[in-house]
Amino acid sequence: MIGRVFFPTPTHQILTILAIVLIASTSTTIYLTHDSLKNQEISPFGAGTFYAEYFYYEGFVSQKKVAWERALHNVTEKFPYLKIGNIFILNSTQAIVQVGDQPITLKPTQIMLTDTSIYNVSSFRFIDKKSTGEGIILGYEIYMALEEIGRVDKLKIKLINNQSTIFTCTGKVIGILSPTASNSLNAGILIVNKKLDSIKPIYFPKFVVFKVPPEYMEYMSALAEDIYYRGLPVVQPERSSNPLFFQSILNVAAIFSDLGLLFAITAYVMVSKRIWLKEMAIALLSGAGFFKILSWLFLRNLITVFLGIFVGTFIGVSFFSFIISRLPPTYYFYFTVSNNISGTLILNLSVSLVIIIATVLYVWRYTTKTTPIKIIREVFYQ
Amino acid sequence: MEIYDKNHPYKNNQRGVLPMIVEHSIRRFKFNKLWMVLKIALVGFALVVLIGSATLYLLAYQTVEVYEGGIYPEDSIIIRGTNPKIFENLTKEGIYGMKNFTPVEILKTSNFSIECNNFKISPNYIYLLGVKQQYFSMFSIEFESGGAIKKSGEIVVGHYIFYHMKETIPGFGIGSEIKIENPYNNEVKTFKVVGVIKQQKPDTSYMFSSKNTLDTLIFLPLSDFHTLFKNFTENIVIVKPDPGKSLVLYYQLTSKFNYVEYPGIVKLRNTVALSWLSYFLGILSISTLLSVAVAIFAAAVSQIKHSETEFGVLKSSGVSSTKIFIILLLESFYLMCVALIMAFLLGGIFIFSFLSLSNLGLSLSEILLYTIGFPILIIFLVLMIYPLYGVIYYRHITPAALLRVT
C-alpha cells in the first residue's frame, strides 16, 4: 500500500530524484565556491592567518624588545590555541640571487627567512607536491621569473647591507607556491632553515604569524584586535578587491544554478500531473477523500524532492570539500572553507518546499473545480 | 448520417504518408502541451547556463585581453619618474635580460590643441608622446604609409588618428602640416606628418571607449616635445627586454626603481585566473547538461509510457517502428526549432548586454559560433534522447501488448 501510494512509478521517480540530485549538487558546489571566495583575505601567509610586525635591534636589550616579548608571552597564555610562527626579513640593502652561474639583484624584502614551524602556521599551497622540510620555497611569479634564466633547482642567495655580506645561503628549491592573492608572497623567496638562531645579530624586522584554527575563524578579526591591544602591532588581512570581476561572474553562475534547481523541481511537479491524476482516480475508486489524497500527494512530493535535495547537497558539499577547495589557488581564487553548508541546505529546501506547497495548492484548486467521476473519466476514458 | 469524417486526413488516400505523419506529430504536440512546456523549460534552462557560461568566459577573456601595454609597446617595461641619465647610472653594471631602453615624455595634462587647414580637432582621445628616432626601430613599429621621424618638425600618427583626421579635415594626408599649441605658454609649433602606424587591432579598434593603443597616438620628436610643453611633461623610460626574459628583468628593475610597471604581469595573472574560470564554468556546464539530460530522459520515459495506447493503435494499424520514430523525431524537431529561437534570443541578450564586441577582436559570426553554436548542437543531441528511447521501447512490443495496457 505504502509503495503504491508513495512510489507509483519508481523508474520515473528515481530519474527525477537523480535530476534533482545533480542540479542540487551543482547548485551547492557553486554556492559554496562563491561563498568561499567572498570571504577571501589577502594574508601573505594564507587563509586564516594574520601577522604582527615589529622592528627591534637584536643583540641589544631595549625597552621595545622587552615590551614585545612580554606582549607575545601574554598572547600565548591568553590564546593557547593560536599557532605561532616566525618570519624574518633582514634589513639589507641588496639581495643577490644566483641561478646557475647567473647572479641577479632583487628587492631585499623579497627574501624571507623562517624555520620549519612555518608549515604549521601558514596555509601554503604548492603547485607540485607538498613540502615540509628545509630548503627554499619560491613564490609563483618569482619562480616563473627565475625560470627565464635557467633550471631552478638550486639557488645561491646573498644579502648585503652597506657592502658587507650579512647572510648567505645555498639551498635546494623544495617547493613552488601556487599563485595567491598576495603579491608579496607571489614574488617572495622563503628560506626555511632550522639554524635561524645562527644569523648574525643585525637589524631585522620580525613577523610573528598567527594561525587561527578553523573553529575560531569567525572570531579572527576580534582576536587580531585583542592582540593589538595587548601590545603587538597586528596587521589584519585585507579583503581582496582584485577578483571582484571574476566574483561577479560567479555570482551570475550561482543565479543560473539556483534557477536550475527551480526548473528541476517544477519539472518534476509538472511531469507528475498525469501520474497523480491516475493515482487520485484509483484512490477515489477505493473510497478515499480529496483531503487524504492531497496529503498523500504532498508527502510523496516531499519525499521525492527532499531526498533529491539532501543527497544532492551532500554530494555538492563533498565535491566542494574534496575537489574544489583543494584546487591550487590562482590569484583571485583562493578558497577558504565555507561554513555556510547549513545555509545552502536551508536555501535549497526552502525553494523546494515553496514549489511543493504551490503544487498542492494547484491540485486543490483543480479538485474544487471538478468531480471525482470526471477525474476517473479523464484518466481511464480520455 | 455520416459515420466517418470525410475530411479526416487518414481517410484521404490522395495524401502521402509524410504529411499524415507530420499532422499526427503536430496533434501530439498540441495534445501533450504540458510535456512540451516542461521540455522547453528544461531546454531553456540548459541554454541559459550554456550560453551564459560561454558569454561569461568571453567576457573574462575580453577583460584579460585589454590588459596590454596600452599606449606603450607590448612586452615593454615602463619606469615612471626617471630620466635617462638616472636610469643609465643605476644600470651601468648591466642588468640581465635587458635589451635596450629609450626615453619617452608624456603630457601631464590633456590641455593642448591641434589645428590643420584651419580646422581644430578635439584632443580628448588623442595622446601625445615625445620619442627619439630609435623608438620605432627598437620596438619594430610597422608603418601603413610613410616612415619614422627622422628630424625635428616631423610627426608620426596612429592609424585611428590618421583616418579620423582624414574624414574630418579636407585634404589631410601624408605631408600635411599640423599645428600643435600649448595654451599655457602660447607656444605653437608646426609639424609635418611623415608616417602612419599600421593598425594595431582589427577593424573593431575604431571604438576606443575602453582601450588606448598605438592607434590613438601622435609621436613627436623628443626635443620638440620638450620645447613645446616644457614643465608639463613626465619622464618615462621604456625598457625592452630580451625575448623571454621580461619577468626576470621586471623583478630586477623593481629593486632599483620605485615606479615600475609591467603590463605583462597583469596579463599573466589574468590568464591563469581565466584558465581556472574556464575549468569552473566547464564543470557548471557539464553538470547542468547532465541534469537536463536526465530530466529529459525522465520526461521521455513517462511520456512514452503514457502514449502506449495511442501507439498500440498505430502499430495494430500497420504503422512501422520507423514511422513511429519519425513521429517522435518530428516532435523533437519542433522543440529544436523553439530551442533555436530561444538560443538566438538569449545569445543576443547575453552578447549585447555583457560583451563589448570591439574589444574581443573576434567577428560577430565567430562570437555567435562560440556562444550559440556549441550549446545548440548539445541541446539537439539531448533532445534526440526522446525519439531514440521511444523507438527502442516500441520496437519489440507487440500491438496487443500495447493495447492491453491502460
Side-chain angles (χ1 to χ4, degrees), chain A residues 170 177 368:
Chain A
T170 305
L177 295 174
T368 53

Side-chain angles (χ1 to χ4, degrees), chain B residues 299-365:
Chain B
V301 168
S302 301
Q303 199 183 350
I304 297 288
K305 192 147 181 68
H306 285 112
S307 306
E308 275 173 342
T309 318
E310 183 189 338
F311 285 110
V313 172
L314 284 179
K315 276 201 109 173
S316 54
S317 316
V319 176
S320 66
S321 296
T322 317
K323 290 194 180 83
I324 288 177
F325 174 69
I326 296 171
I327 290 171
L328 299 176
L329 187 69
L330 278 171
E331 275 180 61
S332 285
F333 175 73
Y334 304 140
L335 281 175
M336 285 173 193
C337 293
V338 176
L340 202 67
I341 296 166
M342 279 166 75
F344 272 99
L345 279 174
L346 285 170
I349 294 168
F350 281 144
I351 290 168
F352 290 106
S353 39
F354 285 121
L355 302 176
S356 165
L357 301 180
S358 60
N359 284 332
L360 271 171
L362 296 170
S363 67
L364 186 62
S365 56

Side-chain angles (χ1 to χ4, degrees), chain A residues 12 22-23 26 30 102 105-107 141 145 148-149 245 250 256 260 263 267 271 278 330-333 335, chain B residues 35 38 41 45 48 63 96 244-248 251-252 254-255 265 269-270 276 280 284 287 291 294 302 406:
Chain A
H12 164 72
L22 283 167
I23 295 187
T26 311
I30 295 173
Q102 181 61 52
T105 311
L106 294 178
K107 227 190 226 177
E141 282 171 11
E148 289 176 354
I149 303 173
F245 164 73
L250 283 173
F256 285 164
F263 269 69
V271 169
K278 199 169 181 175
T330 44
Y331 293 111
Y332 315 132
F333 304 108
F335 299 104
Chain B
W35 295 103
L38 160 71
F45 162 62
V48 166
T63 311
Y96 177 81
K245 303 277 185 276
S246 36
L247 206 52
V248 68
Y251 276 116
Q252 289 175 91
T254 53
S255 71
I265 205 160
R269 287 169 188 164
N270 283 317
W276 188 95
F280 186 79
L284 173 68
S287 44
S291 324
V294 171
S302 301
T406 50

Side-chain angles (χ1 to χ4, degrees), chain A residues 11-12 15-16 18-19 22-23 26 29-30 33-34 37 94 102-108 110 140-142 144-146 148-150 179 183 186-187 245-246 248-250 252-253 256-257 259-261 263-264 266-268 270-271 273-275 278 319 323-324 327-333 335 362 380 382, chain B residues 31-32 34-35 37-38 40-42 44-45 48-49 51-53 56-57 59-61 63-64 93 96 244-257 265-266 268-270 272-277 279-281 283-284 287-288 290-292 294-295 297-299 301-302 305-307 350 354 406:
Chain A
T11 320
H12 164 72
L15 283 169
T16 310
L18 198 61
L22 283 167
I23 295 187
T26 311
T29 311
I30 295 173
T33 309
H34 175 248
L37 287 169
Q94 211 181 359
Q102 181 61 52
I104 57 160
T105 311
L106 294 178
K107 227 190 226 177
Q110 281 178 259
Y140 181 74
E141 282 171 11
I142 195 71
M144 298 281 280
L146 297 179
E148 289 176 354
I149 303 173
N183 288 339
N186 289 333
F245 164 73
F246 287 102
S248 65
I249 285 188
L250 283 173
V252 181
F256 285 164
S257 66
L259 264 176
L261 192 66
F263 269 69
T266 315
Y268 166 70
M270 287 170 79
V271 169
K273 191 198 168 192
R274 294 284 288 269
I275 298 164
K278 199 169 181 175
F319 190 70
I323 297 175
I324 300 269
L327 280 177
T330 44
Y331 293 111
Y332 315 132
F333 304 108
F335 299 104
Y362 173 65
F380 294 106
Q382 47 188 307
Chain B
F31 182 72
N32 293 316
L34 206 62
W35 295 103
V37 171
L38 160 71
I40 289 170
L42 286 168
F45 162 62
V48 166
V49 176
I51 297 176
S53 299
L56 290 178
Y57 179 78
L59 177 65
Y61 172 79
T63 311
V64 172
E93 288 162 11
Y96 177 81
K245 303 277 185 276
S246 36
L247 206 52
V248 68
L249 178 62
Y250 165 71
Y251 276 116
Q252 289 175 91
L253 291 171
T254 53
S255 71
K256 294 184 188 296
F257 303 95
I265 205 160
V266 184
L268 167 86
R269 287 169 188 164
N270 283 317
V272 174
L274 189 70
S275 64
W276 188 95
L277 191 73
Y279 176 73
F280 186 79
L281 289 176
I283 292 179
L284 173 68
S287 44
T288 306
L290 211 64
S291 324
V292 168
V294 171
F297 182 62
V301 168
S302 301
K305 192 147 181 68
H306 285 112
S307 306
F350 281 144
F354 285 121
T406 50

Side-chain angles (χ1 to χ4, degrees), chain B residues 86-155:
Chain B
I86 299 174
F87 185 84
E88 244 172 303
N89 268 339
L90 285 170
T91 57
K92 63 184 172 203
E93 288 162 11
I95 292 192
Y96 177 81
M98 186 173 83
K99 191 168 189 178
N100 216 336
F101 72 91
T102 180
V104 165
E105 281 189 25
I106 59 161
L107 267 183
K108 284 180 187 166
T109 165
S110 59
N111 203 352
F112 61 92
S113 65
I114 295 176
E115 196 183 328
C116 180
N117 298 347
N118 296 325
F119 280 89
K120 272 197 174 179
I121 57 165
S122 157
N124 298 344
Y125 49 88
I126 298 174
Y127 291 84
L128 296 186
L129 215 66
V131 294
K132 281 192 168 176
Q133 197 184 329
Q134 72 202 55
Y135 182 90
F136 300 97
S137 55
M138 205 171 118
F139 293 106
S140 314
I141 290 172
E142 292 179 63
F143 289 89
E144 201 170 283
S145 51
I149 296 168
K150 287 189 181 70
K151 58 177 193 282
S152 171
E154 290 182 345
I155 60 166

